[in-house]
Amino acid sequence: SSSSSSSSSSSSSSSSEGKDGGEDVASKKPQSGGEKNEAKDAPSEEDLELRSRQVFVGGIPFNKTAEEIEEAFIDDMLTVESIDCMTFADTGRFRGIAIVTFASAQTAKEALRWHDTEWDGMSLVVKPYEPKKAKEVPKQEIGKIEGQHVAFVANLDYSVTEDTLREAFASDSEIKEIRLGVDKNTGDFKGFAHIEFVSDGDLERAMKKDGSELIGGRRMKVTYATARRAAKPAQKDKERGKPAKLKASRGRRDVKRK
């Protein structure tokens, strides 16, 4: 065969050319690091069996819980083994995506009929689950900020109020201030809060509540808050001498005054 042949044709003809010294030696070269990693990362039979029963479900209304998702499938005679709800890392809020593991591969196939159906006005995306190969990035834990006694509390039910958090933390820690995370446009609670304590000891006692259940069956995520950002002075527009963040008028043009 010619030296300009493609890699696919070369691999297919290696058996017939294996008698030539050069070709035979080349065919017996040790695997490269990448090939070894691919072989190592190949899914086991158990993994393949599990994936055959798993389905990706996207477009789920954000207010739904794992129990409600399971109940919806069960109502359609589809037996669910487990549900893994995806949440936002910063707030712990449900992303509207879940990986559903069914009792059998056949049940998982039947669940695909849910694709492109509506649930509370949301269009569902249902397809076989194929986990992405992601590079492992070491998780950086947020360290304690010297002189700052603030805890970040996430994965909270949307019905949680300031009084709820006070009742949960004030029993053994003195609270200075609670700041609920709310949507700037609607004012709706976003499922997280910052709690400032009086002393370092109060903060440390609050850290021990990480993983505790509050209301709604959710487990709180309690970590040290990141350092506060210093307020930046308003930047001025160089041309007009107006604040750079001045909102532009919508639906009309600025009229020049004489």
Side-chain angles (χ1 to χ4, degrees), residues 184-221:
K184 293 181 179 179
N185 296 319
T186 65
D188 294 335
F189 180 48
K190 295 173 68 176
F192 69 90
H194 288 86
I195 304 178
E196 184 172 359
F197 296 91
V198 173
S199 68
D200 190 71
D202 293 325
L203 175 62
E204 290 305 316
R205 284 187 287 275
M207 290 296 108
K208 296 179 181 179
K209 295 186 182 293
D210 180 41
S212 301
E213 283 191 16
L214 202 56
I215 59 177
R218 294 191 177 188
R219 294 186 180 276
M220 294 187 293
K221 293 181 181 179

PDB file of all heavy atoms in Angstrom, residues 184-221:
ATOM      1  N   LYS A 184     -33.562  40.635  42.146  1.00  0.00           N
ATOM      2  CA  LYS A 184     -33.627  42.090  42.085  1.00  0.00           C
ATOM      3  C   LYS A 184     -34.892  42.605  41.399  1.00  0.00           C
ATOM      4  O   LYS A 184     -35.372  43.690  41.694  1.00  0.00           O
ATOM      5  CB  LYS A 184     -32.396  42.632  41.352  1.00  0.00           C
ATOM      6  CG  LYS A 184     -31.095  42.422  42.109  1.00  0.00           C
ATOM      7  CD  LYS A 184     -29.920  43.005  41.350  1.00  0.00           C
ATOM      8  CE  LYS A 184     -28.624  42.805  42.117  1.00  0.00           C
ATOM      9  NZ  LYS A 184     -27.449  43.348  41.374  1.00  0.00           N
ATOM     10  N   ASN A 185     -35.428  41.807  40.481  1.00  0.00           N
ATOM     11  CA  ASN A 185     -36.608  42.249  39.723  1.00  0.00           C
ATOM     12  C   ASN A 185     -37.922  41.891  40.404  1.00  0.00           C
ATOM     13  O   ASN A 185     -38.844  42.693  40.451  1.00  0.00           O
ATOM     14  CB  ASN A 185     -36.579  41.650  38.317  1.00  0.00           C
ATOM     15  CG  ASN A 185     -35.388  42.137  37.511  1.00  0.00           C
ATOM     16  OD1 ASN A 185     -35.031  43.316  37.569  1.00  0.00           O
ATOM     17  ND2 ASN A 185     -34.763  41.240  36.757  1.00  0.00           N
ATOM     18  N   THR A 186     -37.998  40.678  40.942  1.00  0.00           N
ATOM     19  CA  THR A 186     -39.265  40.205  41.512  1.00  0.00           C
ATOM     20  C   THR A 186     -39.316  40.257  43.028  1.00  0.00           C
ATOM     21  O   THR A 186     -40.398  40.241  43.616  1.00  0.00           O
ATOM     22  CB  THR A 186     -39.535  38.755  41.070  1.00  0.00           C
ATOM     23  OG1 THR A 186     -38.520  37.890  41.628  1.00  0.00           O
ATOM     24  CG2 THR A 186     -39.510  38.645  39.553  1.00  0.00           C
ATOM     25  N   GLY A 187     -38.131  40.270  43.669  1.00  0.00           N
ATOM     26  CA  GLY A 187     -38.097  40.253  45.126  1.00  0.00           C
ATOM     27  C   GLY A 187     -38.265  38.857  45.700  1.00  0.00           C
ATOM     28  O   GLY A 187     -38.329  38.674  46.923  1.00  0.00           O
ATOM     29  N   ASP A 188     -38.347  37.834  44.840  1.00  0.00           N
ATOM     30  CA  ASP A 188     -38.516  36.453  45.307  1.00  0.00           C
ATOM     31  C   ASP A 188     -37.236  35.935  45.944  1.00  0.00           C
ATOM     32  O   ASP A 188     -36.124  36.237  45.484  1.00  0.00           O
ATOM     33  CB  ASP A 188     -38.909  35.538  44.138  1.00  0.00           C
ATOM     34  CG  ASP A 188     -40.276  35.868  43.575  1.00  0.00           C
ATOM     35  OD1 ASP A 188     -41.091  36.437  44.329  1.00  0.00           O
ATOM     36  OD2 ASP A 188     -40.529  35.564  42.396  1.00  0.00           O
ATOM     37  N   PHE A 189     -37.391  35.130  46.980  1.00  0.00           N
ATOM     38  CA  PHE A 189     -36.253  34.528  47.674  1.00  0.00           C
ATOM     39  C   PHE A 189     -35.564  33.529  46.743  1.00  0.00           C
ATOM     40  O   PHE A 189     -36.219  32.723  46.085  1.00  0.00           O
ATOM     41  CB  PHE A 189     -36.748  33.831  48.941  1.00  0.00           C
ATOM     42  CG  PHE A 189     -35.664  33.167  49.741  1.00  0.00           C
ATOM     43  CD1 PHE A 189     -34.483  33.834  50.040  1.00  0.00           C
ATOM     44  CD2 PHE A 189     -35.832  31.869  50.204  1.00  0.00           C
ATOM     45  CE1 PHE A 189     -33.483  33.224  50.793  1.00  0.00           C
ATOM     46  CE2 PHE A 189     -34.848  31.247  50.955  1.00  0.00           C
ATOM     47  CZ  PHE A 189     -33.664  31.929  51.247  1.00  0.00           C
ATOM     48  N   LYS A 190     -34.220  33.574  46.690  1.00  0.00           N
ATOM     49  CA  LYS A 190     -33.457  32.738  45.758  1.00  0.00           C
ATOM     50  C   LYS A 190     -32.854  31.494  46.408  1.00  0.00           C
ATOM     51  O   LYS A 190     -32.096  30.766  45.782  1.00  0.00           O
ATOM     52  CB  LYS A 190     -32.346  33.570  45.119  1.00  0.00           C
ATOM     53  CG  LYS A 190     -32.866  34.689  44.233  1.00  0.00           C
ATOM     54  CD  LYS A 190     -31.765  35.597  43.741  1.00  0.00           C
ATOM     55  CE  LYS A 190     -30.836  34.908  42.774  1.00  0.00           C
ATOM     56  NZ  LYS A 190     -29.823  35.834  42.215  1.00  0.00           N
ATOM     57  N   GLY A 191     -33.175  31.231  47.670  1.00  0.00           N
ATOM     58  CA  GLY A 191     -32.733  29.982  48.288  1.00  0.00           C
ATOM     59  C   GLY A 191     -31.396  30.050  49.005  1.00  0.00           C
ATOM     60  O   GLY A 191     -30.820  29.022  49.325  1.00  0.00           O
ATOM     61  N   PHE A 192     -30.887  31.249  49.264  1.00  0.00           N
ATOM     62  CA  PHE A 192     -29.639  31.359  50.025  1.00  0.00           C
ATOM     63  C   PHE A 192     -29.653  32.626  50.863  1.00  0.00           C
ATOM     64  O   PHE A 192     -30.477  33.521  50.661  1.00  0.00           O
ATOM     65  CB  PHE A 192     -28.424  31.352  49.092  1.00  0.00           C
ATOM     66  CG  PHE A 192     -28.287  32.587  48.240  1.00  0.00           C
ATOM     67  CD1 PHE A 192     -27.567  33.693  48.675  1.00  0.00           C
ATOM     68  CD2 PHE A 192     -28.887  32.657  46.985  1.00  0.00           C
ATOM     69  CE1 PHE A 192     -27.446  34.829  47.883  1.00  0.00           C
ATOM     70  CE2 PHE A 192     -28.768  33.790  46.195  1.00  0.00           C
ATOM     71  CZ  PHE A 192     -28.046  34.879  46.651  1.00  0.00           C
ATOM     72  N   ALA A 193     -28.728  32.698  51.825  1.00  0.00           N
ATOM     73  CA  ALA A 193     -28.667  33.860  52.707  1.00  0.00           C
ATOM     74  C   ALA A 193     -27.265  34.015  53.284  1.00  0.00           C
ATOM     75  O   ALA A 193     -26.477  33.055  53.303  1.00  0.00           O
ATOM     76  CB  ALA A 193     -29.681  33.714  53.839  1.00  0.00           C
ATOM     77  N   HIS A 194     -26.956  35.213  53.721  1.00  0.00           N
ATOM     78  CA  HIS A 194     -25.715  35.496  54.446  1.00  0.00           C
ATOM     79  C   HIS A 194     -26.107  35.850  55.878  1.00  0.00           C
ATOM     80  O   HIS A 194     -26.987  36.690  56.094  1.00  0.00           O
ATOM     81  CB  HIS A 194     -24.954  36.661  53.814  1.00  0.00           C
ATOM     82  CG  HIS A 194     -24.313  36.318  52.509  1.00  0.00           C
ATOM     83  ND1 HIS A 194     -24.987  36.394  51.306  1.00  0.00           N
ATOM     84  CD2 HIS A 194     -23.056  35.871  52.215  1.00  0.00           C
ATOM     85  CE1 HIS A 194     -24.181  36.021  50.324  1.00  0.00           C
ATOM     86  NE2 HIS A 194     -23.015  35.701  50.844  1.00  0.00           N
ATOM     87  N   ILE A 195     -25.472  35.204  56.831  1.00  0.00           N
ATOM     88  CA  ILE A 195     -25.766  35.460  58.240  1.00  0.00           C
ATOM     89  C   ILE A 195     -24.491  35.963  58.916  1.00  0.00           C
ATOM     90  O   ILE A 195     -23.466  35.265  58.920  1.00  0.00           O
ATOM     91  CB  ILE A 195     -26.281  34.201  58.957  1.00  0.00           C
ATOM     92  CG1 ILE A 195     -27.510  33.629  58.233  1.00  0.00           C
ATOM     93  CG2 ILE A 195     -26.611  34.511  60.408  1.00  0.00           C
ATOM     94  CD1 ILE A 195     -28.052  32.357  58.855  1.00  0.00           C
ATOM     95  N   GLU A 196     -24.558  37.156  59.459  1.00  0.00           N
ATOM     96  CA  GLU A 196     -23.396  37.728  60.153  1.00  0.00           C
ATOM     97  C   GLU A 196     -23.571  37.524  61.653  1.00  0.00           C
ATOM     98  O   GLU A 196     -24.617  37.849  62.222  1.00  0.00           O
ATOM     99  CB  GLU A 196     -23.265  39.220  59.841  1.00  0.00           C
ATOM    100  CG  GLU A 196     -22.015  39.836  60.463  1.00  0.00           C
ATOM    101  CD  GLU A 196     -21.775  41.265  60.007  1.00  0.00           C
ATOM    102  OE1 GLU A 196     -22.584  41.772  59.191  1.00  0.00           O
ATOM    103  OE2 GLU A 196     -20.790  41.861  60.467  1.00  0.00           O
ATOM    104  N   PHE A 197     -22.537  36.974  62.287  1.00  0.00           N
ATOM    105  CA  PHE A 197     -22.578  36.686  63.711  1.00  0.00           C
ATOM    106  C   PHE A 197     -21.739  37.697  64.486  1.00  0.00           C
ATOM    107  O   PHE A 197     -20.916  38.428  63.924  1.00  0.00           O
ATOM    108  CB  PHE A 197     -22.089  35.262  63.969  1.00  0.00           C
ATOM    109  CG  PHE A 197     -22.972  34.210  63.366  1.00  0.00           C
ATOM    110  CD1 PHE A 197     -22.728  33.735  62.085  1.00  0.00           C
ATOM    111  CD2 PHE A 197     -24.064  33.713  64.056  1.00  0.00           C
ATOM    112  CE1 PHE A 197     -23.553  32.774  61.506  1.00  0.00           C
ATOM    113  CE2 PHE A 197     -24.898  32.755  63.492  1.00  0.00           C
ATOM    114  CZ  PHE A 197     -24.640  32.291  62.214  1.00  0.00           C
ATOM    115  N   VAL A 198     -21.944  37.723  65.785  1.00  0.00           N
ATOM    116  CA  VAL A 198     -21.259  38.701  66.634  1.00  0.00           C
ATOM    117  C   VAL A 198     -19.800  38.332  66.855  1.00  0.00           C
ATOM    118  O   VAL A 198     -18.922  39.186  66.804  1.00  0.00           O
ATOM    119  CB  VAL A 198     -21.992  38.836  67.986  1.00  0.00           C
ATOM    120  CG1 VAL A 198     -21.190  39.718  68.944  1.00  0.00           C
ATOM    121  CG2 VAL A 198     -23.395  39.411  67.776  1.00  0.00           C
ATOM    122  N   SER A 199     -19.528  37.054  67.060  1.00  0.00           N
ATOM    123  CA  SER A 199     -18.156  36.648  67.383  1.00  0.00           C
ATOM    124  C   SER A 199     -17.706  35.470  66.530  1.00  0.00           C
ATOM    125  O   SER A 199     -18.505  34.829  65.831  1.00  0.00           O
ATOM    126  CB  SER A 199     -18.050  36.263  68.860  1.00  0.00           C
ATOM    127  OG  SER A 199     -18.778  35.065  69.103  1.00  0.00           O
ATOM    128  N   ASP A 200     -16.415  35.189  66.619  1.00  0.00           N
ATOM    129  CA  ASP A 200     -15.841  34.065  65.894  1.00  0.00           C
ATOM    130  C   ASP A 200     -16.409  32.741  66.405  1.00  0.00           C
ATOM    131  O   ASP A 200     -16.642  31.810  65.645  1.00  0.00           O
ATOM    132  CB  ASP A 200     -14.315  34.086  66.050  1.00  0.00           C
ATOM    133  CG  ASP A 200     -13.630  33.086  65.136  1.00  0.00           C
ATOM    134  OD1 ASP A 200     -13.610  33.321  63.916  1.00  0.00           O
ATOM    135  OD2 ASP A 200     -13.137  32.061  65.646  1.00  0.00           O
ATOM    136  N   GLY A 201     -16.632  32.669  67.702  1.00  0.00           N
ATOM    137  CA  GLY A 201     -17.198  31.454  68.286  1.00  0.00           C
ATOM    138  C   GLY A 201     -18.599  31.178  67.773  1.00  0.00           C
ATOM    139  O   GLY A 201     -18.969  30.028  67.518  1.00  0.00           O
ATOM    140  N   ASP A 202     -19.394  32.254  67.619  1.00  0.00           N
ATOM    141  CA  ASP A 202     -20.752  32.101  67.083  1.00  0.00           C
ATOM    142  C   ASP A 202     -20.702  31.534  65.666  1.00  0.00           C
ATOM    143  O   ASP A 202     -21.499  30.666  65.300  1.00  0.00           O
ATOM    144  CB  ASP A 202     -21.461  33.462  67.057  1.00  0.00           C
ATOM    145  CG  ASP A 202     -21.725  34.015  68.452  1.00  0.00           C
ATOM    146  OD1 ASP A 202     -21.990  33.209  69.357  1.00  0.00           O
ATOM    147  OD2 ASP A 202     -21.655  35.241  68.625  1.00  0.00           O
ATOM    148  N   LEU A 203     -19.753  32.036  64.869  1.00  0.00           N
ATOM    149  CA  LEU A 203     -19.607  31.566  63.487  1.00  0.00           C
ATOM    150  C   LEU A 203     -19.227  30.089  63.448  1.00  0.00           C
ATOM    151  O   LEU A 203     -19.785  29.314  62.673  1.00  0.00           O
ATOM    152  CB  LEU A 203     -18.548  32.408  62.770  1.00  0.00           C
ATOM    153  CG  LEU A 203     -18.178  31.970  61.346  1.00  0.00           C
ATOM    154  CD1 LEU A 203     -19.393  32.051  60.425  1.00  0.00           C
ATOM    155  CD2 LEU A 203     -17.047  32.831  60.803  1.00  0.00           C
ATOM    156  N   GLU A 204     -18.290  29.695  64.305  1.00  0.00           N
ATOM    157  CA  GLU A 204     -17.833  28.304  64.316  1.00  0.00           C
ATOM    158  C   GLU A 204     -18.954  27.357  64.725  1.00  0.00           C
ATOM    159  O   GLU A 204     -19.076  26.248  64.196  1.00  0.00           O
ATOM    160  CB  GLU A 204     -16.639  28.152  65.261  1.00  0.00           C
ATOM    161  CG  GLU A 204     -15.365  28.805  64.748  1.00  0.00           C
ATOM    162  CD  GLU A 204     -14.984  28.297  63.371  1.00  0.00           C
ATOM    163  OE1 GLU A 204     -15.046  27.083  63.122  1.00  0.00           O
ATOM    164  OE2 GLU A 204     -14.644  29.138  62.511  1.00  0.00           O
ATOM    165  N   ARG A 205     -19.784  27.778  65.663  1.00  0.00           N
ATOM    166  CA  ARG A 205     -20.911  26.930  66.064  1.00  0.00           C
ATOM    167  C   ARG A 205     -21.921  26.800  64.927  1.00  0.00           C
ATOM    168  O   ARG A 205     -22.547  25.760  64.739  1.00  0.00           O
ATOM    169  CB  ARG A 205     -21.576  27.501  67.321  1.00  0.00           C
ATOM    170  CG  ARG A 205     -20.786  27.236  68.599  1.00  0.00           C
ATOM    171  CD  ARG A 205     -21.573  27.665  69.839  1.00  0.00           C
ATOM    172  NE  ARG A 205     -21.632  29.129  69.957  1.00  0.00           N
ATOM    173  CZ  ARG A 205     -20.696  29.871  70.532  1.00  0.00           C
ATOM    174  NH1 ARG A 205     -19.616  29.281  71.032  1.00  0.00           N
ATOM    175  NH2 ARG A 205     -20.829  31.174  70.619  1.00  0.00           N
ATOM    176  N   ALA A 206     -22.060  27.868  64.141  1.00  0.00           N
ATOM    177  CA  ALA A 206     -22.977  27.831  62.999  1.00  0.00           C
ATOM    178  C   ALA A 206     -22.481  26.862  61.936  1.00  0.00           C
ATOM    179  O   ALA A 206     -23.280  26.200  61.256  1.00  0.00           O
ATOM    180  CB  ALA A 206     -23.129  29.232  62.410  1.00  0.00           C
ATOM    181  N   MET A 207     -21.158  26.752  61.773  1.00  0.00           N
ATOM    182  CA  MET A 207     -20.579  25.853  60.777  1.00  0.00           C
ATOM    183  C   MET A 207     -20.976  24.394  61.031  1.00  0.00           C
ATOM    184  O   MET A 207     -21.065  23.587  60.105  1.00  0.00           O
ATOM    185  CB  MET A 207     -19.050  25.965  60.785  1.00  0.00           C
ATOM    186  CG  MET A 207     -18.480  27.267  60.243  1.00  0.00           C
ATOM    187  SD  MET A 207     -18.823  27.525  58.492  1.00  0.00           S
ATOM    188  CE  MET A 207     -20.034  28.830  58.593  1.00  0.00           C
ATOM    189  N   LYS A 208     -21.218  24.071  62.282  1.00  0.00           N
ATOM    190  CA  LYS A 208     -21.567  22.693  62.637  1.00  0.00           C
ATOM    191  C   LYS A 208     -22.966  22.307  62.172  1.00  0.00           C
ATOM    192  O   LYS A 208     -23.340  21.139  62.218  1.00  0.00           O
ATOM    193  CB  LYS A 208     -21.452  22.506  64.160  1.00  0.00           C
ATOM    194  CG  LYS A 208     -20.026  22.680  64.688  1.00  0.00           C
ATOM    195  CD  LYS A 208     -19.972  22.518  66.192  1.00  0.00           C
ATOM    196  CE  LYS A 208     -18.545  22.719  66.718  1.00  0.00           C
ATOM    197  NZ  LYS A 208     -18.484  22.578  68.195  1.00  0.00           N
ATOM    198  N   LYS A 209     -23.739  23.289  61.744  1.00  0.00           N
ATOM    199  CA  LYS A 209     -25.105  23.005  61.265  1.00  0.00           C
ATOM    200  C   LYS A 209     -25.134  22.641  59.781  1.00  0.00           C
ATOM    201  O   LYS A 209     -26.200  22.422  59.218  1.00  0.00           O
ATOM    202  CB  LYS A 209     -26.009  24.211  61.534  1.00  0.00           C
ATOM    203  CG  LYS A 209     -26.208  24.510  63.012  1.00  0.00           C
ATOM    204  CD  LYS A 209     -27.217  25.617  63.231  1.00  0.00           C
ATOM    205  CE  LYS A 209     -27.360  25.940  64.723  1.00  0.00           C
ATOM    206  NZ  LYS A 209     -27.971  24.816  65.471  1.00  0.00           N
ATOM    207  N   ASP A 210     -23.950  22.594  59.156  1.00  0.00           N
ATOM    208  CA  ASP A 210     -23.888  22.195  57.747  1.00  0.00           C
ATOM    209  C   ASP A 210     -24.477  20.799  57.569  1.00  0.00           C
ATOM    210  O   ASP A 210     -24.114  19.864  58.274  1.00  0.00           O
ATOM    211  CB  ASP A 210     -22.431  22.212  57.273  1.00  0.00           C
ATOM    212  CG  ASP A 210     -22.305  21.809  55.809  1.00  0.00           C
ATOM    213  OD1 ASP A 210     -23.141  22.245  55.005  1.00  0.00           O
ATOM    214  OD2 ASP A 210     -21.366  21.053  55.491  1.00  0.00           O
ATOM    215  N   GLY A 211     -25.407  20.653  56.632  1.00  0.00           N
ATOM    216  CA  GLY A 211     -26.044  19.357  56.384  1.00  0.00           C
ATOM    217  C   GLY A 211     -27.296  19.128  57.198  1.00  0.00           C
ATOM    218  O   GLY A 211     -27.991  18.126  57.003  1.00  0.00           O
ATOM    219  N   SER A 212     -27.626  20.054  58.107  1.00  0.00           N
ATOM    220  CA  SER A 212     -28.838  19.901  58.917  1.00  0.00           C
ATOM    221  C   SER A 212     -30.077  20.216  58.087  1.00  0.00           C
ATOM    222  O   SER A 212     -30.042  21.060  57.196  1.00  0.00           O
ATOM    223  CB  SER A 212     -28.792  20.844  60.123  1.00  0.00           C
ATOM    224  OG  SER A 212     -27.660  20.593  60.924  1.00  0.00           O
ATOM    225  N   GLU A 213     -31.169  19.531  58.387  1.00  0.00           N
ATOM    226  CA  GLU A 213     -32.427  19.779  57.681  1.00  0.00           C
ATOM    227  C   GLU A 213     -33.127  20.976  58.302  1.00  0.00           C
ATOM    228  O   GLU A 213     -33.149  21.136  59.513  1.00  0.00           O
ATOM    229  CB  GLU A 213     -33.335  18.551  57.744  1.00  0.00           C
ATOM    230  CG  GLU A 213     -32.923  17.442  56.799  1.00  0.00           C
ATOM    231  CD  GLU A 213     -33.997  16.367  56.688  1.00  0.00           C
ATOM    232  OE1 GLU A 213     -35.144  16.637  57.085  1.00  0.00           O
ATOM    233  OE2 GLU A 213     -33.680  15.272  56.201  1.00  0.00           O
ATOM    234  N   LEU A 214     -33.697  21.805  57.449  1.00  0.00           N
ATOM    235  CA  LEU A 214     -34.456  22.942  57.932  1.00  0.00           C
ATOM    236  C   LEU A 214     -35.929  22.638  57.664  1.00  0.00           C
ATOM    237  O   LEU A 214     -36.507  21.778  58.309  1.00  0.00           O
ATOM    238  CB  LEU A 214     -33.990  24.231  57.239  1.00  0.00           C
ATOM    239  CG  LEU A 214     -34.291  25.548  57.957  1.00  0.00           C
ATOM    240  CD1 LEU A 214     -33.711  25.523  59.373  1.00  0.00           C
ATOM    241  CD2 LEU A 214     -33.713  26.725  57.205  1.00  0.00           C
ATOM    242  N   ILE A 215     -36.528  23.287  56.673  1.00  0.00           N
ATOM    243  CA  ILE A 215     -37.889  22.960  56.277  1.00  0.00           C
ATOM    244  C   ILE A 215     -37.886  22.605  54.798  1.00  0.00           C
ATOM    245  O   ILE A 215     -36.968  22.969  54.067  1.00  0.00           O
ATOM    246  CB  ILE A 215     -38.864  24.122  56.544  1.00  0.00           C
ATOM    247  CG1 ILE A 215     -38.436  25.377  55.778  1.00  0.00           C
ATOM    248  CG2 ILE A 215     -38.978  24.407  58.016  1.00  0.00           C
ATOM    249  CD1 ILE A 215     -39.404  26.536  55.934  1.00  0.00           C
ATOM    250  N   GLY A 216     -38.885  21.874  54.374  1.00  0.00           N
ATOM    251  CA  GLY A 216     -38.958  21.461  52.976  1.00  0.00           C
ATOM    252  C   GLY A 216     -38.121  20.220  52.694  1.00  0.00           C
ATOM    253  O   GLY A 216     -37.977  19.815  51.544  1.00  0.00           O
ATOM    254  N   GLY A 217     -37.552  19.617  53.747  1.00  0.00           N
ATOM    255  CA  GLY A 217     -36.768  18.394  53.562  1.00  0.00           C
ATOM    256  C   GLY A 217     -35.389  18.610  52.971  1.00  0.00           C
ATOM    257  O   GLY A 217     -34.700  17.661  52.618  1.00  0.00           O
ATOM    258  N   ARG A 218     -34.949  19.871  52.860  1.00  0.00           N
ATOM    259  CA  ARG A 218     -33.638  20.158  52.286  1.00  0.00           C
ATOM    260  C   ARG A 218     -32.581  20.273  53.370  1.00  0.00           C
ATOM    261  O   ARG A 218     -32.859  20.752  54.468  1.00  0.00           O
ATOM    262  CB  ARG A 218     -33.680  21.463  51.478  1.00  0.00           C
ATOM    263  CG  ARG A 218     -34.552  21.374  50.241  1.00  0.00           C
ATOM    264  CD  ARG A 218     -34.330  22.580  49.357  1.00  0.00           C
ATOM    265  NE  ARG A 218     -35.095  22.504  48.126  1.00  0.00           N
ATOM    266  CZ  ARG A 218     -34.965  23.344  47.115  1.00  0.00           C
ATOM    267  NH1 ARG A 218     -34.091  24.334  47.204  1.00  0.00           N
ATOM    268  NH2 ARG A 218     -35.684  23.219  46.026  1.00  0.00           N
ATOM    269  N   ARG A 219     -31.359  19.853  53.018  1.00  0.00           N
ATOM    270  CA  ARG A 219     -30.242  19.960  53.952  1.00  0.00           C
ATOM    271  C   ARG A 219     -29.464  21.233  53.656  1.00  0.00           C
ATOM    272  O   ARG A 219     -29.034  21.456  52.530  1.00  0.00           O
ATOM    273  CB  ARG A 219     -29.326  18.736  53.834  1.00  0.00           C
ATOM    274  CG  ARG A 219     -30.009  17.441  54.271  1.00  0.00           C
ATOM    275  CD  ARG A 219     -29.034  16.269  54.276  1.00  0.00           C
ATOM    276  NE  ARG A 219     -29.689  15.039  54.681  1.00  0.00           N
ATOM    277  CZ  ARG A 219     -29.873  14.684  55.956  1.00  0.00           C
ATOM    278  NH1 ARG A 219     -29.419  15.481  56.919  1.00  0.00           N
ATOM    279  NH2 ARG A 219     -30.464  13.562  56.264  1.00  0.00           N
ATOM    280  N   MET A 220     -29.288  22.036  54.673  1.00  0.00           N
ATOM    281  CA  MET A 220     -28.586  23.306  54.493  1.00  0.00           C
ATOM    282  C   MET A 220     -27.111  23.089  54.146  1.00  0.00           C
ATOM    283  O   MET A 220     -26.483  22.151  54.631  1.00  0.00           O
ATOM    284  CB  MET A 220     -28.644  24.134  55.787  1.00  0.00           C
ATOM    285  CG  MET A 220     -30.007  24.604  56.183  1.00  0.00           C
ATOM    286  SD  MET A 220     -29.888  25.729  57.621  1.00  0.00           S
ATOM    287  CE  MET A 220     -29.332  24.598  58.905  1.00  0.00           C
ATOM    288  N   LYS A 221     -26.581  23.963  53.310  1.00  0.00           N
ATOM    289  CA  LYS A 221     -25.147  24.005  53.041  1.00  0.00           C
ATOM    290  C   LYS A 221     -24.605  25.258  53.721  1.00  0.00           C
ATOM    291  O   LYS A 221     -24.943  26.377  53.338  1.00  0.00           O
ATOM    292  CB  LYS A 221     -24.883  24.059  51.530  1.00  0.00           C
ATOM    293  CG  LYS A 221     -25.298  22.794  50.798  1.00  0.00           C
ATOM    294  CD  LYS A 221     -24.992  22.890  49.313  1.00  0.00           C
ATOM    295  CE  LYS A 221     -25.421  21.625  48.585  1.00  0.00           C
ATOM    296  NZ  LYS A 221     -25.158  21.713  47.131  1.00  0.00           N
TER     297      LYS A 221
END
